[in-house]
Amino acid sequence: MELKRREAMSGDEAVANALALVNPDVVPAYPITPQTIIVERYADYWADGLVDTEFVHVESEHSAMSAAVGAASTGARVFTASASQGIALMYEILFIAAGNRLPIVMAVANRALSAPINIHAELTDQLVTRDTGWISLFGGDAQEAYDQTIMSFAIAEHPKVRLPTMYGIEGFIISHAVEAVEPLNSREVQDFLGEIPQPEWTFRPGNPGAQGLLALPDYYMEIKNQQVEAMANAEVIIPRVFQEFGELTGRYYDTIESFMMEDATYAIVVMGAMSGTVEEAVRILRSRGEKVGMVKIRSFRPFPSEEITQILKDVQGALVLERSLTFGSAATILYTEVATSFVKERRIAPVISSRTLGIGGRDVSLADILEVYNGIKVDVTMNKTSHDWYKVRR
């Protein structure tokens, strides 16, 4: 067996380390907990002359994304990072980045939105951007944070995609937890990414193109439809990038990943860091004779509706675990995507329920997963769905 070099890194440090190998042209940065360490560590590399990035200190997250848009409009390779209220503050500029087809990459250290003030893990800050036109990915540990930093540039910059891409790492659970990471070297990363492709309309000397113009009713729909087509293209390109990265590193990813689902009667559907706990719970339940598996969603936008319906087509029941909030909706965010996928793909759905848990960073233990699992068995027996909050005091 080949022994691979490993280094201890927190999730934030893993992002910064991978980003140093990418060596983007411009990084506009503003600190916000629990993302701060990403740009802080990268600033150290910049100050030490280890990268030749144009590191821009800005006065707010709105300015960070505005600077990212300006830099990417010139054809620069651009990165930024944020979380929570920072994402909310840059919200209007997210639409501009996507509408101008700028392949900006952003790491999000997922954190609850105020009020009340909470600096701990929750996926709502990223999920509320679902209609901005950004590709939206999630990982489950520091290694995935490292790898997604690199892969996100390849996805965003692909000529058939050219959409900004964000990826989430849960605050403190991943951002500050120290884990073993297998690093790459600069040559491997630079060869993997290559030069950023430049469209004709990039703001460069001699280029005749223009961006951000007025689009009246006679053209606006066609322009937005091109974004829809680009997102559809991303459904094809993302798996290709994952495959190429796997061939380079031996670490293979997919838009949706299953664990022990081959003969499963029940499934637990999850996204983000909770997947590690769920995987261990599935092992324990299997040892007790329970036919249960896990479905881990990595790509939220574009959402892999065909793949998830294929994986879940033979189960009797599925339980969606939600670390996010929506108010006044018919159902929770991730559940809605899973359930409506069966309508889109014209498949008969199993009993699908959801549990909201882990909000604001509340711990989700192995015992918690084992307990909520029993709920889906009850729902299948009664042929009904349920959408409850788990372990909330009333």
Side-chain angles (χ1 to χ4, degrees):
M1 181 182 296
E2 180 185 358
L3 295 178
K4 296 184 178 180
R5 180 171 64 93
R6 292 185 174 185
E7 296 181 12
M9 304 179 195
S10 69
D12 278 356
E13 289 174 328
V15 171
N17 274 267
L19 187 63
L21 301 181
V22 174
N23 194 15
D25 299 306
V26 181
V27 174
Y30 190 82
I32 179 172
T33 303
Q35 172 274 129
T36 302
I37 296 172
I38 296 175
V39 294
E40 185 180 67
R41 189 68 68 246
Y42 196 77
D44 291 339
Y45 301 147
W46 172 73
D48 293 339
L50 301 176
V51 294
D52 55 9
T53 298
E54 189 72 25
F55 193 85
V56 185
H57 302 267
V58 294
E59 69 274 18
S60 72
E61 291 88 356
H62 187 282
S63 298
M65 188 51 62
S66 297
V69 165
S73 296
T74 70
R77 181 169 277 160
V78 182
F79 174 91
T80 191
S82 193
S84 184
Q85 308 306 128
I87 301 294
L89 185 55
M90 63 173 59
Y91 191 67
E92 67 167 309
I93 312 301
L94 297 180
F95 288 91
I96 296 171
N100 282 359
R101 307 291 298 278
L102 303 174
I104 300 163
V105 171
M106 177 167 64
V108 181
N110 302 118
R111 167 191 145 184
L113 289 152
S114 298
I117 297 173
N118 181 291
I119 62 172
H120 293 276
E122 189 176 303
L123 304 184
T124 312
D125 60 350
Q126 185 168 337
L127 295 185
V128 298
T129 70
R130 57 185 167 178
D131 298 322
T132 60
W134 282 59
I135 291 169
S136 187
L137 308 174
F138 288 89
D141 56 36
Q143 182 70 68
E144 293 183 15
Y146 184 98
D147 294 345
Q148 285 190 164
T149 301
I150 299 164
M151 292 188 292
S152 292
F153 284 96
I155 294 166
E157 294 169 1
H158 194 282
K160 291 187 177 180
V161 177
R162 285 200 65 85
L163 290 174
T165 300
M166 67 177 76
Y167 59 96
I169 60 171
E170 276 145 275
F172 294 98
I173 296 172
I174 298 177
S175 67
H176 285 59
V178 176
E179 299 180 89
V181 174
E182 294 179 3
L184 301 176
N185 60 55
S186 178
R187 180 179 294 277
E188 288 173 322
V189 173
Q190 292 299 319
D191 288 347
F192 177 74
L193 293 179
E195 293 291 327
I196 179 171
Q198 299 296 339
E200 294 180 357
W201 42 260
T202 299
F203 285 156
R204 292 197 169 193
N207 278 14
Q211 299 177 36
L213 302 178
L214 176 66
L216 295 176
D218 51 348
Y219 283 109
Y220 183 82
M221 282 187 66
E222 283 70 26
I223 294 171
K224 304 316 284 186
N225 185 253
Q226 289 175 2
Q227 286 181 248
V228 172
E229 292 175 352
M231 190 66 76
N233 291 341
E235 292 187 51
V236 177
I237 299 305
I238 292 173
R240 289 182 187 174
V241 171
F242 287 167
Q243 177 66 27
E244 291 168 4
F245 190 81
E247 292 169 359
L248 171 65
T249 65
R251 298 189 290 272
Y252 289 88
Y253 298 104
D254 210 338
T255 54
I256 184 169
E257 297 163 1
S258 61
F259 178 71
M260 292 190 175
M261 283 297 300
E262 293 78 8
D263 63 341
T265 303
Y266 305 101
I268 301 175
V269 182
V270 67
M271 192 160 61
M274 213 184 299
S275 58
T277 307
V278 173
E279 184 174 316
E280 184 59 28
V282 167
R283 288 193 179 95
I284 292 172
L285 289 166
R286 281 282 179 166
S287 71
R288 297 175 181 176
E290 298 285 341
K291 288 192 173 183
V292 58
M294 179 186 75
V295 178
K296 176 181 177 180
I297 296 170
R298 185 176 301 282
S299 174
F300 181 72
R301 283 291 183 272
F303 193 80
S305 57
E306 181 179 354
E307 291 86 346
I308 197 162
T309 55
Q310 179 65 27
I311 292 173
L312 296 179
K313 66 181 176 64
D314 295 324
V315 303
Q316 294 180 18
L319 181 66
V320 180
L321 301 184
E322 299 270 4
R323 188 175 244 145
S324 62
L325 295 173
T326 186
F327 303 95
S329 174
T332 52
I333 297 175
L334 185 57
Y335 168 89
T336 300
E337 299 291 334
V338 174
T340 56
S341 291
F342 283 88
V343 178
K344 176 187 175 186
E345 301 300 327
R346 298 191 176 188
R347 290 182 181 270
I348 298 175
V351 173
I352 306 175
S353 294
S354 71
R355 296 293 182 271
T356 298
L357 70 173
I359 297 300
R362 181 168 292 185
D363 186 43
V364 179
S365 69
L366 190 58
D368 292 335
I369 303 300
L370 296 174
E371 184 174 340
V372 298
Y373 165 71
N374 292 321
I376 189 59
K377 297 181 68 178
V378 172
D379 287 354
V380 168
T381 300
M382 300 179 66
N383 193 28
K384 70 177 185 65
T385 63
S386 60
H387 308 281
D388 300 324
W389 282 47
Y390 177 73
K391 273 195 174 179
V392 61
R393 294 186 290 272
R394 301 185 187 277

